Amino acid sequence: MEKRIKKVILPAAGLGTRFLPATKASPKEMLPIVDKPLIQYAVEEAINAGMEEFIIITGKNKRTIEDHFDAAYRLEEKLKSSGKDKLLEEIQKLNDVHFAYIRQKTALGLGHAIGCASPFVNNEPFAVILSDDVIDPEYPLLEEMAKIFYEKDAPVIALQEVPKNEVNRYGIIKGFKEGDIYRIEDLVEKPSIQKAPSNLAIIGRYILTPDIFQILQNLTPGAGGEIQLTDALKKLLKKRPIYGYLIKGERYDAGDKLGFIKATIDLALKNNELSEGLKEYIIKKARSIK
Ligand code: UTP
């Protein structure tokens, strides 16, 4: 098996029902936080972690994703002739990145979406990024996870502690600490609050090994009637160890309206052009809120 992680899968074929009607005819992954769509944050995070090959899983109404990562000659010419060099640089910076697009014909679940990439991954480890889990862009999470993968030669999944009354919205693990990381003993998708084995939730960053594909191919639908990646990982656990890495930076569930608004505020506060004006506005607003 090739050891180096070069490929990243970006599933973007979900229906985005929590964001309707915005996601009726356009993809959730194209919703912008400040000035960049969610999926561009994910692609830039992967580039910063040294990934070289990008596989985007798309579905119905997702064509704008392909257009977004395509060159835009007319626009580029216009920006060049009007001397808007900074904007030009910004829109050209991903022009050399090559993307493969795979269509998931029916949104049968995250596990199924990842399984669709199987013919393109061969016998290599790969990363998965869920664009709607927005992680602070300055935090090299995938690199940290890759280090663990290289050391342990085992899949690594990102974890975050969540409030106990929210465990039913996540995949939850049972595990014990081995130094700084968790050795996973069990995983369960969207457990009831009473039955959850912990409050350690699986977050949308994974480093996986290709043996997951065979499991995904034979998986039956789980929670919510979907083919769940968590169920495949549970089966994989019978064959090999899996590790969990507790993330340190901020993470926002941008697939959820409140999480999306929080991400927008926090990233805008980090933006040089916006921070002053926004701070002023927030302080004024906070004073007026009863
Ligand atoms: P979510 O669980 O957020 O589902 O998917 P969703 O359909 O996008 O949104 P809601 O829950 O209906 O609001 C997590 C990730 O997995 C992808 C999504 O695009 C998102 O990046 N996904 C999910 C697929 O690619 N295919 C699927 O069948 C399901």
Side-chain angles (χ1 to χ4, degrees), residues 11-18 28-29 104 107-110 113 130-132 255:
L15 301 177
T17 50
R18 284 169 296 161
K28 169 172 75 174
E29 292 75 13
Q104 184 192 21
L108 296 177
L110 174 60
L130 305 189
S131 316
D132 52 358

Side-chain angles (χ1 to χ4, degrees), residues 98-282:
H98 291 284
F99 295 92
Y101 295 94
I102 298 171
R103 190 108 167 169
Q104 184 192 21
K105 289 187 185 161
T106 317
L108 296 177
L110 174 60
H112 180 261
I114 290 170
C116 292
S118 157
F120 295 83
V121 173
N122 306 321
N123 202 21
E124 301 170 41
F126 59 95
V128 175
I129 298 186
L130 305 189
S131 316
D132 52 358
D133 262 339
V134 173
I135 308 268
D136 183 342
E138 279 153 39
Y139 176 40
L141 170 60
L142 267 190
E143 273 171 71
E144 303 272 312
M145 292 173 67
K147 271 188 223 155
I148 300 166
F149 169 80
Y150 291 127
E151 191 194 313
K152 300 283 185 189
D153 192 18
V156 185
I157 59 186
L159 302 174
Q160 188 181 40
E161 284 187 46
V162 295
K164 290 213 164 59
N165 61 351
E166 288 178 16
V167 287
N168 53 356
R169 291 169 25 189
Y170 293 90
I172 298 290
I173 67 127
K174 176 176 177 220
F176 59 91
K177 271 198 120 173
E178 234 183 65
D180 280 347
I181 58 179
Y182 283 85
R183 173 89 184 245
I184 293 174
E185 292 175 296
D186 197 10
L187 312 96
V188 40
E189 185 62 31
K190 301 192 176 67
S192 67
I193 293 169
Q194 297 75 25
K195 287 200 178 142
S198 76
N199 66 334
L200 291 169
I202 304 170
I203 300 309
R205 301 293 182 279
Y206 307 77
I207 305 237
L208 299 176
T209 44
D211 43 1
I212 194 92
F213 287 124
Q214 215 194 348
I215 298 175
L216 284 170
Q217 263 162 25
N218 298 309
L219 211 58
T220 48
E226 296 193 347
I227 308 276
Q228 297 286 358
L229 179 60
T230 308
D231 294 344
L233 289 167
K234 189 181 168 86
K235 291 209 159 144
L236 187 62
L237 198 56
K238 293 205 175 100
K239 295 197 201 161
R240 53 152 75 231
I242 301 179
Y243 289 89
Y245 173 79
L246 200 57
I247 68 167
K248 298 188 185 92
E250 284 290 348
R251 167 243 163 209
Y252 308 88
D253 179 3
D256 165 81
K257 283 175 232 174
L258 186 58
F260 182 88
I261 292 166
K262 287 179 183 170
T264 302
I265 293 173
D266 280 6
L267 293 191
L269 283 171
K270 286 189 168 188
N271 180 299
N272 288 339
E273 278 170 34
L274 303 174
S275 64
E276 273 313 304
L278 181 60
K279 250 186 248 169
E280 234 173 71
Y281 177 73
I282 291 175

